[in-house]
Amino acid sequence: AAVCSPCLFVDISAHPSVGPITLTLPYLYICCAAESIQVSNSNSNKNRMSAHAMSMHAPPRASDNPYNLKAGEHSTGTTIMAIPFDGGVVMGADSRTSTGTYIAVRVADKITQVHDRIWICRSGSAADTQALTDYIRHYLGQLAIETGRAPTVKTAAHLMKRLIYENKDNLMAGVIVGGWDSVEGGSVYNIPLGGTMMKMPFAIGGSGSTYIYGLVDHKYRDGMTKDEAKALVEKSIAHAMARDGSSGGIIRTVVISEDGCDKEFIPGDKLPYGP
């Protein structure tokens, strides 16, 4: 007997002389004795069960689960961004964490420090990205102790790329790795879903990024100062928050340079939205 997926009906037309056999399937029960074949379901029952089977196997509507999250899993929704300048990097993110249309956390911190001057902006599944940054923080700490010197941003990005790429079927994580080191100065690496790693002149990510590509392309230029880069990060994220339902709350920024890290936030009623 051949099973016809996904209806799970049994095709026995090619086997007219089936001996005594009983097959039990999730949606259809067939009893065969000698050369007479009796199907316990009428055609109407078959049609109803076929429709039920199809509905059971049908994927959920995109509106029900736009990020394909597991039950109870939180999404960082997100707009994240990083721009290097001469002497460091400015990184920024919104603060909304959601479960479908429900906002689970209004003031989440999506910019995570993994070493003295290396930070990671997280987007995708909150659980996945938190676990990944914990691993990176552990590995970089071990590396710094073993080598006796601070790790580079490229090393942190490479470790994150390996973790995401080698587990891409089980993770939903898109991150931006940025910071300052003595080799490259300020640098930014973008690692989207799937684990590709690219060094970028600037990086944006998350669901809100699609709304601000034109704005960032128009305003960005090489050789920006720290103040110019910080102003562009704040304005771009504010515009994304105004358009993207999964981005919102406050804007968090961190400026990373050889002198250290300066973290700030802009409250939701003082966002720099506008021309």
Side-chain angles (χ1 to χ4, degrees), residues 202-221:
F202 66 88
I204 54 178
S207 58
S209 64
T210 56
Y211 297 92
I212 56 172
Y213 272 101
L215 173 64
V216 177
D217 285 341
H218 176 65
K219 295 290 187 179
Y220 173 81
R221 60 179 177 79

Side-chain angles (χ1 to χ4, degrees), residues 176-187:
I176 298 172
V177 182
W180 180 93
D181 60 62
S182 59
V183 178
E184 294 184 315
S187 58

Side-chain angles (χ1 to χ4, degrees), residues 113-268:
Q113 187 174 20
V114 292
H115 206 264
D116 293 346
R117 291 176 179 80
I118 303 175
W119 296 66
I120 295 177
C121 290
R122 303 179 291 111
S123 70
S125 164
D128 290 350
T129 54
Q130 286 173 6
L132 288 168
T133 51
D134 286 344
Y135 275 113
I136 299 302
R137 186 185 298 109
H138 170 71
Y139 290 146
L140 293 181
Q142 280 190 324
L143 180 65
I145 292 172
E146 291 174 2
T147 61
R149 60 179 182 269
T152 64
V153 178
K154 185 176 183 179
T155 298
H158 181 77
L159 287 171
M160 180 63 81
K161 180 261 295 184
R162 287 284 301 272
L163 287 175
I164 294 178
Y165 179 77
E166 293 176 6
N167 299 279
K168 60 179 175 288
D169 294 333
N170 302 310
L171 296 174
M172 190 181 68
V175 302
I176 298 172
V177 182
W180 180 93
D181 60 62
S182 59
V183 178
E184 294 184 315
S187 58
V188 168
Y189 290 84
N190 191 25
I191 307 174
L193 296 175
T196 300
M197 184 184 80
M198 299 167 287
K199 185 178 181 181
M200 305 289 286
F202 66 88
I204 54 178
S207 58
S209 64
T210 56
Y211 297 92
I212 56 172
Y213 272 101
L215 173 64
V216 177
D217 285 341
H218 176 65
K219 295 290 187 179
Y220 173 81
R221 60 179 177 79
D222 291 333
M224 298 180 77
T225 66
K226 180 180 74 173
D227 292 338
E228 290 172 338
K230 187 169 181 288
L232 179 56
V233 168
E234 293 170 351
K235 180 177 287 292
S236 299
I237 295 175
H239 278 256
M241 291 164 63
R243 298 292 184 183
D244 178 33
S246 296
S247 300
I250 65 176
I251 297 176
R252 298 186 188 273
T253 61
V254 59
V255 179
I256 310 137
S257 65
E258 184 178 7
D259 298 329
C261 305
D262 183 18
K263 197 169 187 181
E264 299 178 0
F265 80 95
I266 301 175

